[in-house]
Every structure is written in structure tokens, then in C-alpha cells.
Amino acid sequence: MAHFAQLDSDNVVTQVIVVSDSDTSDINGVESESIGVAFCQQLFGAETVWKQTSITNSMRFRYATIGGSYNAELDAFITRQPFSSWTLNNSTADWDPPITKPTLTDEQRAAGSFYRWNEDAYQADNTTGWVLKEM
């Protein structure tokens, strides 16, 4: 089975569908994205835009998610930007916080504590942002 993501005019993923291998393969059984795209366009309209995605994250960095986007420059599916201060890392296609996440101590980890990003705290003081949540 192959998976294809439909993109709107802003390259935002609007749906992801599963397509049979037989509908993505040529007469010799060789799978091709272009054949799968043509099949999707036959179903949903010739003007629709499709990109293949992989549930195993083996292509385009990660599996496409509805509301995420496709970045043509990186040939990558990008998740939604989690916070306005985070920037896209062009090497990983992930969002990076403006401040590195602190490392938990062994005691904090054992207690189930974790760090959570607080955008309001960062906007008020750009030397802060990570808040320790203790269980």
C-alpha cells in the first residue's frame, strides 16, 4: 500500500489517502510516484496536487499530516509550527526552539518531571521559555 497527501494551493496537506500498490505500479510491477499521482488525480480531479508520503518516514523526512505542509525546497513534509518563536531547521525539517531545552537531572527524570515550552514567558523575557513541570 502506498500513501498520498493532497496539497492545497499553499502546499498545506488537506488529506492523506491509501492507494493500492497495483494503482501505483507500471505493467512490470515497478512502483512510481507519478503513476500514483495520476491515479489520485483520476479520482479527485486533474487539477489536484499530490505527493507520496511514507508511514515509515522513509521519504520526505516524515509522514504527511493533515494541517502540516509540504516544503518543495526541502522536499519534506513539515509539521505545523508549534510556537511563533521556533524556526525551521533546514537540515532536519523540524522546528527548533530559540533556546536549547535544558537537560533533566537523574532525580528529575526519576520523579517524572519534564520541560514544557512557554511562549508567553519567552516573549516576556527571551532568555527564558523552558519551564520545569514536576510530577
Side-chain angles (χ1 to χ4, degrees):
M1 302 306 258
H3 297 82
F4 285 82
Q6 184 177 9
L7 308 176
D8 69 11
S9 59
D10 294 320
N11 280 343
V12 174
V13 177
T14 59
Q15 71 173 321
V16 180
I17 64 170
V18 179
V19 177
S20 171
D21 289 340
S22 64
D23 293 317
T24 63
S25 302
D26 65 16
I27 195 167
N28 297 316
V30 178
E31 186 179 324
S32 164
E33 180 176 20
S34 62
I35 294 172
V37 167
F39 176 78
C40 293
Q41 289 175 328
Q42 187 176 30
L43 291 176
F44 294 94
E47 72 286 349
T48 57
V49 177
W50 297 87
K51 292 289 180 185
Q52 190 169 3
T53 186
S54 172
I55 200 146
T56 63
N57 300 324
S58 61
M59 63 182 351
R60 299 193 166 112
F61 288 85
R62 70 188 45 79
Y63 188 69
T65 56
I66 295 172
S69 62
Y70 172 72
N71 183 307
E73 192 174 306
L74 299 178
D75 190 28
F77 286 107
I78 309 294
T79 59
R80 291 182 188 177
Q81 185 178 15
F83 301 99
S84 62
S85 63
W86 291 35
T87 56
L88 185 62
N89 181 320
N90 289 336
S91 297
T92 64
D94 285 322
W95 295 99
D96 288 340
I99 299 171
T100 302
K101 186 176 183 179
T103 303
L104 291 169
T105 66
D106 290 339
E107 294 80 20
Q108 290 168 328
R109 197 174 296 103
S113 299
F114 58 94
Y115 282 100
R116 177 174 285 155
W117 183 256
N118 183 314
E119 185 71 10
D120 291 335
Y122 176 76
Q123 293 300 331
D125 175 0
N126 68 5
T127 64
T128 65
W130 291 107
V131 177
L132 182 65
K133 298 291 184 177
E134 298 179 320
M135 300 305 286

